[in-house]
Amino acid sequence: MKGTQHLGILLLAFVWVGCQKTATIKNDHVKLSWEKQRDGWTVSSLEVNNSDHWKSLGVPSGKYTLLYSAEKPDSTSRIFETNTGVQFPEKAYHYQQDIWKAATEPVSLNTAGTEISFYPSEMESQSGGVVFSHDDEWATLTATWRLDPKHHTDIIVRQQAIVKKPGYYSLATPSPITIDEKDMAWATVPGYFQGSEIQKDFVLAYAYGQGVPDLPAVYRERCVSTMTSIVDTKDSVSYSIIAAPGLGRDPWEKDKNTHQKWNIGVSHKNRDSKLSPSLYYPVLGEPSSKLNAGDTITYEFRYSVQTGNWYKNLNHAINDVYDFKQGLALRSNKQSLTSRVQAMHHYLLDPKTSLWNVESFQGLKIGAQEYHGGVVGSKGDAMKNSDYGAMWMLASATGDAKLKDKVLPYAYNFKLAQQQVKPGFFQGAAMGQYYLSKSKVFVEEWGTFVEPVSLTYYTMLDDGNILLFDPENKVLRERLRLGAELLLNWQKDDGSWEVAYDQDTHQPLFKDIKDLRPTFYGLIVAYRILKDEKYLKAAERGAEWMIKEGVEKGHYLGVCGDARYAPDFATAQSAQAMLDLYDITKKGQYKDAAVAAARTYTTSIYTHPIPSREHKNVNGTDREDWEIAQAGLSFEHGGIMGSAQRHGPIQLASHTGLFIRIFQLTGDSLLLNMARAGAIGRDAFVEPSTSVASYYWQAMNKGSGPYPHHAWWQIGWITDYLMAEAQLRSNNQVIFPRGFVTPKVGPHQSYGFENGKIYNESARLIIREELFKLKNPNLECIMASSTDGNRLYAIVMNDVNEPISDALQIDINSFQPGKAVKKITLVGENKVLEAKPNVQPGSGPNAGSIDVVMAPYGINVYAIDL
């Protein structure tokens, strides 16, 4: 007996031999077949059509699994040691103790409960699919399998289990196939790990995401950035499982923070520890898993079989299943990003709001902002500066005398005091990123040691960014040279560095992990400033080691000592470091590495739940869901040990400019959309009186909190993002030289130290609050001036995907009193515009306005000749 049903170009086929012995569902891309065996219905093959050739994938299985526990599962955690024999994590890392304990309990390690595995006993055809069923002493199960008529790569499954006895249950997804570990080319649970090989060192795999864990761990969705698990084969086929939208937790249910709820478990392996992307719903031991006889578990998911690699599969999950563009389309501003920069300028000038302090240290007056986060040895007296590139950039663009006289000199002295200049093992190093004013000592975040990457950050990058604005500063050039020579001295023969050195013994520390970070960037700085080829050659050695040991394997290390260097925003920084090296050398290997690292960093960006207009009560304020959505925001650090486990993502979107630049190189629209989703419409996290965003998602709009210095980083990333957008949208007609990346928090770079080009005319960046004004907060205005000051530029950009009309208010007196407007031109179209008199109260005699009509995501460049 044979029957077929046509659904468009889909072919759904059932083939029975004898008494219903085989079944197949098939379309033009994927074919899944079952056969009836003695122990039930098993999968006989899963095939994918590659260039009109059907290729079998993996080892056929078809096993189903139900987990059961009569009582709440045991919570005794398992002890693991590093490869140096030290129990992990050490007691000093108190932020990680509870989350590591929970991550090593039986449920997380997939050893809890009784495993009930089976092959379904019955099969029947149904309109649009096949239905398998099974009945035993534990439950009655049905599973409906159908092809997705829209996405021919996908097979959608809906499972239902009616349980027969009280207890705790978890229904795993079936394993149509398993992948032999020798055939694996790549695997990832986004947000937790990625890699090209099975990692036998469980701590490296599980805590650091460096390779594929050997154990069948079950991951919490709070740090699964995209709700999928993906395994690639060496035949260039990517196989994934994707949870249906809405199955994972909502981080803010109606009126409270529910970020830490655990609704669904995600794994790269099944219960038998075979490579097979799997979901577990509900999670055994969680409240929703406690059931009575007759209760039902129902959920839906899909398998996706792509010709290509994990990134193609990830894009499919993000764009086609989780409709990332829908969330982006909802975004709009209540305050423009350029307005935020101007407001934060005022915040940072007020010592009371910015917590700016000046202290005496060894004959110098040093200045920095109070820091009330965790620092070893702090008694509430820690001080820190963040983004020196942004500090000097803002001073240059505004011409603010108070900033230049009251802030920069003391920040400069802080930088001098931070570095050891006396001969010895640490000559040239930054001896700590924090200053303790009571102890009068510089310290690192989490111990008495010095890191080579901190030398890159707090000597090379900071000094380098200052030198871009003050290139003839002989003192600072010598300090930079000291740092560069120490980086050279510490570099190993293979191009790498140690993670850290003990301050007292000078012995290497953290021998269980490799320095998979952009430490080599410090030598890029040295080459650009000091022009010595030896620094470039050493930077290339470091980059080549990083490509081989890091980028190609998917292994990265973070830079936050309090998280014991869990992978973080340094991954994006590594991408920018490679891109800068490519700009210098034009060697394709660095461009490829930059793209690869940036794409890996997309797994640090939340893409779920799908934002909506549902109303929610957020600390007494009515918000729509999209306003507080996590989708589009990045981790500080994710994975098992990161802050995202507790606090969710962060608002410091340092990666956005990088993503725009990589999009411009590759045309990869996911990067463009992620950049815009991270930057636009985040007002619910901005403290209204200061325009400073909170750091962690869970803080909502409480402001800078213990991190007042973050305002400088916010100015830095916003500027970098807007300048990257201007360059992209103008097709390189608005382009300004980029400086060096900021220390620590990501890849954003400084501007304003050299003139740029606006349609081939030389121009410098300026900020004057009253010069140009727009009413619509979805319009940004970047300001620039010709070198002689006789031409001003207003670079207006639309933040949203819809047309906008507005009026650009112009007040020349705020920039050059006594000057008058001679002509206004829409540059690029050579269209001369007529200014209307500005009749607003208080407007000066040289004020006026012009109508602006902006295309969706458009850019208009106006030249105002004086």
Side-chain angles (χ1 to χ4, degrees), residues 381-563:
D381 60 336
M383 297 166 56
K384 178 179 171 122
N385 290 316
S386 57
D387 194 333
Y388 275 76
M391 296 171 83
W392 263 252
M393 175 177 67
L394 188 67
S396 174
T398 62
D400 189 312
K402 186 175 180 181
L403 185 56
K404 290 181 176 181
D405 295 340
K406 302 296 185 182
V407 176
L408 298 196
Y410 304 108
Y412 174 81
N413 286 347
F414 186 95
K415 192 53 49 186
L416 296 181
Q418 195 174 26
Q419 185 184 24
Q420 177 174 315
V421 293
K422 67 180 181 181
F425 186 79
F426 294 114
Q427 185 181 33
M431 297 308 293
Q433 56 183 299
Y434 302 92
Y435 177 69
L436 304 183
S437 59
K438 293 178 182 177
S439 307
K440 295 193 178 297
V441 64
F442 283 89
V443 297
E444 260 311 328
E445 192 166 31
W446 224 248
T448 55
F449 48 77
V450 174
E451 301 171 63
V453 77
S454 291
L455 166 54
T456 284
Y457 283 169
Y458 306 112
T459 294
M460 307 305 295
L461 289 175
D462 285 343
D463 289 3
N465 271 318
I466 296 172
L467 282 164
L468 291 174
F469 291 89
D470 186 12
E472 301 305 317
N473 187 320
K474 293 181 180 179
V475 172
L476 213 55
R477 289 177 69 89
E478 176 59 20
R479 293 299 191 94
L480 189 78
R481 188 195 64 78
L482 278 178
E485 290 300 314
L486 185 56
L487 269 182
L488 283 181
N489 185 45
W490 280 351
Q491 189 176 32
K492 300 180 186 180
D493 291 341
D494 63 3
S496 69
W497 284 267
E498 295 289 353
V499 172
Y501 293 100
D502 186 281
Q503 280 198 17
D504 297 322
T505 68
H506 303 170
Q507 292 301 304
L509 301 175
F510 302 102
K511 296 296 289 182
D512 55 305
I513 48 181
K514 295 179 180 179
D515 187 50
L516 295 158
R517 308 183 283 196
T519 305
F520 64 90
Y521 198 105
L523 294 166
I524 296 176
V525 176
Y527 172 72
R528 280 184 58 180
I529 298 293
L530 302 176
K531 312 298 185 187
D532 192 325
E533 287 286 335
K534 70 179 180 180
Y535 298 132
L536 178 60
K537 291 178 181 178
E540 289 198 71
R541 284 203 311 274
E544 287 162 9
W545 177 86
M546 181 66 188
I547 292 170
K548 180 181 177 182
E549 296 298 322
V551 177
E552 291 178 355
K553 294 180 179 180
H555 295 188
Y556 297 90
L557 193 71
V559 292
C560 293
D562 58 348

Side-chain angles (χ1 to χ4, degrees), residues 15-239:
V15 182
W16 298 298
V17 178
C19 185
Q20 302 183 7
K21 295 292 186 182
T22 65
T24 297
I25 55 175
K26 173 186 176 183
N27 60 26
D28 59 344
H29 182 80
V30 66
K31 178 167 61 175
L32 179 60
S33 301
W34 293 265
E35 60 184 357
K36 181 70 179 289
Q37 299 285 356
R38 184 172 299 175
D39 50 358
W41 282 87
T42 66
V43 170
S44 55
S45 67
L46 174 60
E47 298 175 74
V48 59
N49 189 351
N50 187 7
S51 301
D52 293 326
H53 173 70
W54 288 98
K55 179 190 299 184
S56 293
L57 178 65
V59 179
S61 175
K63 182 186 286 188
Y64 290 67
T65 299
L66 179 69
L67 302 180
Y68 173 77
S69 178
E71 305 294 335
K72 188 174 176 65
D74 178 31
S75 61
T76 303
S77 60
R78 181 174 165 184
I79 294 173
F80 290 90
E81 294 182 346
T82 67
N83 53 42
T84 56
V86 176
Q87 183 173 327
F88 185 91
E90 299 92 326
K91 290 182 179 180
Y93 297 97
H94 53 80
Y95 295 141
Q96 281 67 50
Q97 297 300 319
D98 289 345
I99 53 179
W100 181 256
K101 180 182 182 300
T104 52
E105 291 175 357
V107 170
S108 296
L109 297 180
N110 209 353
T111 59
T114 300
E115 175 188 352
I116 302 110
S117 292
F118 57 90
Y119 298 96
S121 55
E122 304 294 333
M123 184 281 295
E124 63 175 321
S125 64
Q126 194 180 76
S127 177
V130 291
V131 180
F132 294 96
S133 59
H134 186 81
D135 189 76
D136 58 25
E137 63 180 294
W138 307 98
T140 299
L141 177 133
T142 57
T144 303
W145 298 65
R146 60 186 176 88
L147 297 162
D148 186 341
K150 185 176 181 181
H151 304 291
H152 293 188
T153 57
D154 291 12
I155 301 164
I156 299 173
V157 182
R158 183 178 180 82
Q159 281 197 134
Q160 182 182 85
I162 303 172
V163 304
K164 296 184 176 180
K165 58 180 70 176
Y168 294 84
Y169 289 86
S170 181
L171 180 59
T173 50
S175 299
I177 61 167
T178 62
I179 307 293
D180 192 300
E181 292 180 0
K182 294 179 181 178
D183 293 333
M184 184 197 78
W186 194 268
T188 182
V189 171
Y192 280 97
F193 74 83
Q194 66 282 319
S196 59
E197 57 192 6
I198 299 294
Q199 173 63 268
K200 299 298 183 181
D201 184 326
F202 186 68
V203 170
L204 288 183
Y206 200 47
Y208 291 96
Q210 295 177 8
V212 182
D214 193 32
L215 299 181
V218 179
Y219 293 95
R220 291 161 167 78
E221 77 260 40
R222 69 186 73 157
C223 281
V224 177
S225 58
T226 296
M227 291 295 287
T228 185
S229 174
I230 307 171
V231 176
D232 291 354
T233 72
K234 292 178 179 176
D235 288 336
S236 298
V237 176
S238 184
Y239 172 61

Side-chain angles (χ1 to χ4, degrees), residues 328 337 656-661 663-664 671-680 717-735 751 780 782 795-800 856-860:
L328 177 58
L337 293 171
T656 52
L658 164 72
F659 275 19
I660 297 293
R661 288 186 280 276
F663 167 76
Q664 195 166 13
L671 298 170
L672 176 67
N673 291 334
M674 281 186 162
R676 290 172 174 171
I680 304 304
W717 82 254
I718 288 171
T719 302
D720 187 44
Y721 165 70
L722 292 175
M723 298 307 296
E725 282 274 22
Q727 183 175 341
L728 169 69
R729 298 186 196 187
S730 69
N731 194 24
N732 295 319
Q733 294 300 314
V734 176
I735 184 167
Y751 294 82
E780 309 291 348
I782 300 170
I795 303 158
V796 181
M797 294 190 295
N798 185 355
D799 284 334
V800 296
Y857 291 129
I859 183 171
N860 288 356

Side-chain angles (χ1 to χ4, degrees), residues 768-774 781 783 792-794 796 807-816 819-825 833-840 842-852 862-866:
R768 300 292 188 277
E769 287 187 36
E770 302 302 320
L771 178 57
F772 300 125
K773 284 183 177 275
L774 292 152
C781 184
M783 306 177 196
L792 301 177
Y793 293 95
V796 181
L808 177 67
Q809 306 291 336
I810 306 170
D811 185 354
I812 301 303
N813 274 337
S814 66
F815 181 66
Q816 289 205 37
K819 289 275 189 176
V821 174
K822 179 180 179 182
K823 182 175 67 172
I824 302 176
T825 308
L833 306 174
E834 183 176 351
K836 303 174 183 178
N838 187 350
V839 296
Q840 292 183 349
S843 60
N846 294 320
S849 69
I850 55 172
D851 293 331
V852 297
Y862 299 96
I864 298 92
D865 291 316
L866 307 182

